[in-house]
Each structure stands twice: as structure tokens, then as C-alpha cells.
Amino acid sequence: MAEYSQPSFNVSIEEEYQFIDPHSRDLRGFATAQGLTLLDARGPRKEDEQVASPTGYPSGASAPVAGTPICRDVKQARQELLRVRRDMRELAASHGLKMMAAGAHPFSHWEREQEESPRYRALIEDTQFIARRLLAFGMYVHVGIDDSNLAVDVMNAMRYLLPHILCLANASPFWQGLDTGLASYRSVLLDALPRTGIPNAFRSHNDYLSYVDTLLRTNSIPDPEAIWWDIRPHSHQQDRSRPRSQDGQNPQPGNAPADRPALEIRVCDALPDVDDVLAVAALIQATVAWMVDLRHRNMSFRLYDRTLIAENKWRAVRYGLKGKLLDFGIEQEVPIGDLLHELLERVEPVLDRLNCREEVAHVHTIMQRGASSEQQRHVWRQSGEDGKAVVDFLVSQTEQSL
């Protein structure tokens, strides 16, 4: 068993935001920390500088991203996330728009007729119509591991728990005005693209790099950012727009930390409620720390085949918290609530060390109340299947905690 130093487990959160017309409630733009891209019948028009998504989704094919800097714990991440969301709300308001966080828009039929991003044009050439239908919005959590081999080791094991996390972090039950019957239709949209979903296990970081190098040499991808798995090794980056010190002040040039090895979990829909976001991020961080502790004790989490994990992911996509997942150890269906309670028990010993006990406790609230997709469906039914009412609910929930 390899020897690993104790990681930092620092955390950063990236979200994709929707900008909404307050009258029609239709989608009118995407938000990023660098600017705003507004949409009209002719396609995107630049009001501010648009940049490619730091997470690797092609700009225009999915929303650009606004993210926190690297944070020492989720409590600092909360303050930074609130800052980002306030900035995005102000940016939206300056264009007469509202801000919303959710995995998909409930009824938008907007289609792109042109797009200026070379990265997006390359994706269209590669995937044809598939990329044109993407109006999918995610939330991505980076956890600092600081050792590339350990990051791959944890990624292999944590694949098993991605469906469990998605059961909490689903927020896209509607598509083009219809109830899809799913908890996360965003997952279906993204899984139509290549190099998405649950990855295979890798023997080491070099094994992963060999895979990436093969794709690069064969012109399958332009860079590693075009690998969009639900979990992947990644560089844990400082805030792209304005690096800050722990006291919130902008540091002097050259003082920002360099990119650091991290694990990026990408399976989550964008979530409107900040408390939900922090609960999921804290649970992810605690799960990573628990798995590292297993390795320090010369223990390991059993690895399962990607195809088996994909069975559980489908159940998470379909049913969310109302379903059952497969426990492959006993080869039985188990209610997701039981499995989440078991996970919470497993991570309990690391919560105080990570200073995230309060945030993880909110997972119980999500389980009792229901995930965002369930809340949206309740509003949908109570309003007589009115998509505008769902948008109003999501806008209010996104903005009310700011």
C-alpha cells in the first residue's frame, strides 16, 4: 500500500447560473465571473467579455462558470459563494434580468443559430445536433488532495458513491415545458456527449495520463478539459477573476496560489438553495477525507465495475431520494435514505477536523424535505402545471439567502 501525506482537503465550488427575463420567465443569458452573455433569436451577443468555462464545458454549449477561490473549509466557502452569487445577481439586474440556479430551465425552447466560440464550433462538428440541445447547468466541487496518485486512488473508490450524491443534488425534473419523470434530466443531456458519466478505474495517475495522452495524440480531444466525467483529477484553481486572501482582501500581484492537484466532482445539478449547495459540498469533502483515512489505516474501499455503478446512477437520475439503490456488497436493493444514513455515519469522525459538522447536518433536512426536483414538482402541481411558477420559485430560492 502506497504511503500518502495528509491532504489539505481545501475546497472550492463552481456554479453555472441562468439569467431570466422577469416578464416571460424565459432564459435570456448565462453568467460567469468575467461577464454576461445575453441570448436572442440570432444567438449569443457579448455584453461583456466571454471566456471558456474553467471546468471544461464548451462555452456556449453549456453555461460559463462562476466559482469561489480555494477555501480552507466550507464555512469560508459559504462566504465566498455568497459573494459570487451577489455579484451575479447585480450583474443580472444591470441588464434587467433575474438570476436562477437549477439543473435546467423548466420550459425554455431557445435554440442557438450562431455561436462565436471556436470551442463550441468544434464540439458541434464533433457531436452534431447533440451539443445544440444542451441547456444544462451544474455545480462542481473541488477537494484538494495534493497528491496526484492519491487523487486517482480516491476517484476510483468514490465513483461508487456518485449516485448517492446525485440523489441529494438533483434539480432538473422539467424539459421544454414537460415533466420528464426524472429527478435529473441534466444528467441525461450530458450523458449524450462523449467522455461523460462514470469513468473507468485507473491503476495510477500515470495510467490516467497515458489515457489522456492517447486521446490527445489521436486528435480525439483538444485538451484534458474535454474529458467531462462525473469525477476526475483536476487542477484546484484559485479564483479566476480576483484572488483574495483569507481576510477577503485582494492580495498583491504574484501572491495568488498556483494550481494544485485536486479531485473534481461534477455529478451535481446546479442547486438554488445555498444551504443545499454547502451541505452537498461538505458531504463530498468529508467523503474524500474518510476514504483517505481508510488508506492511512491500510484499508481500502471495494472497487466496482463502471457498468454496475451506472445502474445506480440511472436509479438516482430517475427517482432521486424516492428510490432505491443497489448495495452490491449484499446484492440487494436498499432505500437511498438508509444508504445516506450509513454514509453519514461513516464520515462522522472527520467532520470536526474539517469544520463542516453544521453543513453536513443539513443533509438530514434535504432528506426530510426532499431534493430540489421534488420541491419544483410540488410547485408545478400546486400551480396547475405552470412552468412560470416554477421559475418564480427557483429565482426566489436562489436570491432569498443573499
Side-chain angles (χ1 to χ4, degrees), residues 201-227:
F202 291 90
R203 294 185 300 273
S204 65
H205 187 247
N206 281 339
D207 187 28
Y208 166 73
L209 292 179
S210 177
Y211 165 81
V212 173
D213 184 60
T214 298
L215 295 184
L216 291 169
R217 285 187 291 102
T218 58
N219 295 319
S220 299
I221 58 173
D223 55 60
E225 295 293 293
I227 298 171

Side-chain angles (χ1 to χ4, degrees), residues 265-276:
I265 289 77
R266 307 168 51 83
V267 73
C268 306
D269 287 359
L271 302 175
D273 190 311
V274 169
D275 288 334
D276 289 5

Side-chain angles (χ1 to χ4, degrees), residues 14-15 17 19 30-37 46-55 59 63-68 83-84 87-88 91 95 237-243:
E14 296 175 346
E15 295 185 301
Y17 301 112
F19 281 6
F30 307 139
T32 175
Q34 285 77 20
L36 165 67
T37 297
K46 295 183 180 179
E47 294 292 334
D48 295 289
E49 182 182 3
Q50 180 180 351
V51 298
S53 162
T55 61
S59 180
V65 175
T68 72
R83 173 186 63 80
V84 169
D87 289 347
M88 293 298 102
L91 183 58
H95 293 275
Q237 296 177 318
Q238 185 71 2
D239 182 21
R240 272 72 50 190
S241 59
R242 42 178 173 177

